[in-house]
Amino acid sequence: MENGSRHGRGFTLWFTGLSGAGKTTIAEIVERELHYRHGKIEVLDGDIVRTNLSKGLGFSREDRDTNVLRIGFVADLLTRNGVGVIVSAISPFKEVRDQVRRNIGEDFIEIFVDAPLEVCAERDVKGLYKKAFSGEITQFTGVSDPYEPPSTPELHIKTDEEEPHESAGRVLARLEELGYLRPVNEGRVLNPPLHQT
């Protein structure tokens, strides 16, 4: 599709990766910029959705899949109505992410936020990894539960190799390449975040 022909259309940016990889941090920078450049933006954070839309679900494979499909359903509704949707969710299983991709179609943009397990554990201010390694928390993605990385994401970000504002800049550049955003002045620096989660 010709660059520019998607301007003003809805899209879903789907950030997937381990806890502590940097999904939320990058998504927050992207959100601020998209409010400025796109206007209609909604954020669906995995933890927040689980508290509200998916209350009562546990962390079994079936419950995790249900949670991701619910996020995907809401993202699809918003995307079809011209909203730019930012999803930040571990969403560990490829099959379910691919199902969401099929439902949303060409406006689904998968971003693999990648960092080594030990780096994620070092960043963990809540101590969840420590509890998972000791067995205090079971069914923890990347430790006692699997994470299936995307095979062909639209963008693969390695957060142990670049700063969050650089990663966010790459996301926005991808949206420009795909025609959802018009390019802005080159050299504009995004505000770096205060923390990385």
Side-chain angles (χ1 to χ4, degrees), residues 183-195:
V184 294
N185 297 335
E186 289 186 20
R188 186 164 177 262
V189 178
L190 303 179
N191 293 326
L194 299 175
H195 62 282

Side-chain angles (χ1 to χ4, degrees), residues 4 9 16 27 31 39 48 53 69 79 94 116 128 147 163 181-182 190 193:
R9 266 175 58 167
T16 176
E31 178 195 359
I48 295 170
L53 191 63
L69 290 173
T79 297
K94 184 179 183 301
L128 298 176
Y147 175 79
E163 294 299 317
L181 296 179
R182 292 194 178 101
L190 303 179

